[in-house]
Amino acid sequence: MKKIAVSFLMATSLLPITSMAQNMPLVQTKYTADPAPMVYKDTVFLYTTHDEDTANNFEMYDWLLYTSTDMVNWTDHGAIASTKNFSWRSRDNGAWAPQVIPRNGKFYMYCPLHGHGIGVLVANTPYGPFHDPIGKPIVWNKSNWYDIDPTVWIDDDGQAYMYWGNPYTYYARLNKDMISIKDSVTRLPYHIENYQEGPWFYKRKGHYYLAYATTCCPEAIGYAMSDTPTGPWTSKGYIMRPTDRSRGNHPGIIDYKGHSYVFGLNYDIMHLKTPEHHERRSVSAAEITYNADGTIQEIPYWLDQKPLKQLEPFNPYRRVEAETMNWGYGLKTKKKADGIYVTNIDNGEYIRLRGVDFGKKGPKRFTAAVAAQEKGAEIVLRINSINGPVMGRLKIPATGGDLIFKQASCKVVHVKGIHDLYLCFRLPSPETTFNFDYWKF
């Protein structure tokens, strides 16, 4: 299938994968949707929903987490919660758009279970584990299926608000415990222009914002502004206009390290394999600019953006999880007892890290934790491109099993300064397999 995907791509008018990769979605190893970014300390925590690889319609069972400190290289932390966290659910499918927010040393995850209202989970760290503290929905009007896509913001006075809803817009004040409604649920008595679903509520420089997915289909990213946390809301148009290139969209907006970003979704990774529509979405991000009056400048479609600027160089002189990457199309990640590993590795595939800082002296050796039943594969280290200069070649030894990870090392050519790093995989035959846990210089 992977070879067919490449052939299909090259046969169309689209750019080759190696050219597109700079502007493609943030994650390529899984289908991700409904981005919910959170800034905590010096890190962006990106929570997403998860479309199954074989999904035709919405097949969504768990919520995923990715982290970054430079906005271009992302680490996969796997599923951090699922519908199974809620004992009161009646089915497993329906893990729709969440949001996570910190308060008083706890992390609260608001989770819509499609057709079952909105639940809430809590954890002591942003990585989980999360648990259900109330054993029931925090919001659920059983007469309809409108209770989806919660978004929460804590105002300057400490009052927390939750917005949600499709096709109507609802809000409620939360108690300080963050797991109960303070008073009644309010439905806006008017319809915000083009509002459909997926609200994202926040405050910036005295202005309140409600970004949202606009009227389907295709969906765009629109937004409204207000002088108070409960409205009235005035539509300000689009952040990203609707386009036939993507049926859906869903905003998440943050400020991070002096920059402002909007996250959304598209079908661009799926379209590397097929022109047919399936609900297999991917998360992208772009930088946005605010005008003096607080309005947001409109931006073009994701693929028409310039690549995101890397906010800081990547440090290779530490243990780096193999599932940390800027690009890894064709690969998959799986969970094991003590973390995540990269698997489904085929000949010719690669992991790219952007902006790796090798320093003034450069490395001497490369070490990786790998697992293989038989020897024969190798990791070729290249800089700047998949055909760039070779730093070194790591031969993959037989470790006794596909999940028995052992360290292997090789000498490397001294490379100085900042370069993109490509970990290129070479397998002697289609039957050769190995898995990849972590690496370091």
Side-chain angles (χ1 to χ4, degrees), residues 200-243:
W200 186 265
F201 177 47
Y202 67 104
K203 184 181 183 181
R204 186 180 188 276
K205 295 186 176 181
H207 300 288
Y208 293 92
Y209 295 83
L210 198 66
Y212 47 85
T214 65
T215 307
C216 189
C217 288
E219 291 178 335
I221 297 178
Y223 75 107
M225 295 176 64
S226 176
D227 294 327
T228 77
T230 58
W233 294 96
T234 301
S235 173
K236 297 297 182 179
Y238 294 112
I239 298 174
M240 181 179 289
R241 288 185 175 272
T243 170

Side-chain angles (χ1 to χ4, degrees), residues 33-48:
D34 305 317
M38 177 187 76
V39 177
Y40 181 68
K41 295 185 176 179
D42 68 340
T43 300
V44 175
F45 290 80
L46 176 60
Y47 300 89
T48 75

Side-chain angles (χ1 to χ4, degrees), residues 263-334:
F263 293 72
L265 63 83
N266 53 67
Y267 298 80
D268 293 331
I269 293 294
M270 182 198 71
H271 286 154
L272 295 181
K273 291 187 175 183
T274 175
E276 297 178 2
H277 178 78
H278 305 282
E279 291 302 336
R280 304 173 197 169
R281 299 160 294 174
S282 296
V283 168
S284 288
E287 192 162 354
I288 55 174
T289 301
Y290 290 87
N291 297 312
D293 63 356
T295 55
I296 302 171
Q297 294 181 15
E298 200 172 301
I299 61 173
Y301 182 69
W302 311 108
L303 290 181
D304 299 332
Q305 300 277 342
K306 293 181 179 179
L308 283 171
K309 294 179 181 178
Q310 186 169 353
L311 299 184
E312 63 185 27
F314 188 89
N315 174 20
Y317 298 112
R318 58 190 169 95
R319 171 173 164 150
V320 178
E321 300 301 323
E323 61 276 9
T324 300
M325 62 187 75
N326 168 255
W327 182 256
Y329 179 70
L331 305 171
K332 293 295 179 184
T333 59
K334 286 187 178 180

Side-chain angles (χ1 to χ4, degrees), residues 33-209:
D34 305 317
M38 177 187 76
V39 177
Y40 181 68
K41 295 185 176 179
D42 68 340
T43 300
V44 175
F45 290 80
L46 176 60
Y47 300 89
T48 75
T49 55
H50 175 205
D51 294 331
E52 293 296 313
D53 284 356
T54 58
N56 292 319
N57 297 309
F58 296 111
E59 295 181 39
M60 306 162 69
Y61 302 96
D62 51 22
W63 294 280
L64 310 180
L65 171 61
Y66 299 85
T67 59
S68 180
T69 58
D70 63 14
M71 285 298 295
V72 299
N73 298 301
W74 294 85
T75 300
D76 183 349
H77 299 274
I80 44 85
S82 77
T83 55
K84 293 181 179 179
N85 285 78
F86 300 99
S87 60
W88 41 268
R89 80 194 187 285
S90 66
R91 63 192 181 106
D92 290 337
N93 193 9
W96 285 31
Q99 187 176 352
V100 178
I101 188 168
R103 187 168 200 176
N104 297 330
K106 302 283 187 180
F107 297 84
Y108 297 90
M109 184 174 186
Y110 299 87
C111 306
L113 281 69
H114 191 218
H116 292 73
I118 297 169
V120 60
L121 301 174
V122 64
N124 293 324
T125 80
Y127 303 96
F130 287 87
H131 72 276
D132 181 358
I134 58 177
K136 61 181 180 179
I138 187 173
V139 167
W140 187 14
N141 184 339
K142 296 182 180 181
S143 68
N144 58 61
W145 287 35
Y146 302 156
D147 298 330
I148 65 168
D149 299 352
T151 177
V152 176
W153 179 262
I154 301 171
D155 208 353
D156 298 337
D157 61 1
Q159 179 60 61
Y161 297 84
M162 182 168 72
Y163 275 82
W164 70 94
N166 172 341
Y168 307 107
T169 313
Y170 300 86
Y171 73 86
R173 296 193 299 171
L174 300 180
N175 288 313
K176 290 183 179 179
D177 63 11
M178 301 297 284
I179 59 174
S180 60
I181 299 296
K182 189 171 186 177
D183 33 44
S184 60
V185 170
T186 299
R187 173 177 149 182
L188 292 186
Y190 53 90
H191 186 78
I192 301 172
E193 183 180 0
N194 291 325
Y195 174 90
Q196 180 72 37
E197 61 182 0
W200 186 265
F201 177 47
Y202 67 104
K203 184 181 183 181
R204 186 180 188 276
K205 295 186 176 181
H207 300 288
Y208 293 92
Y209 295 83

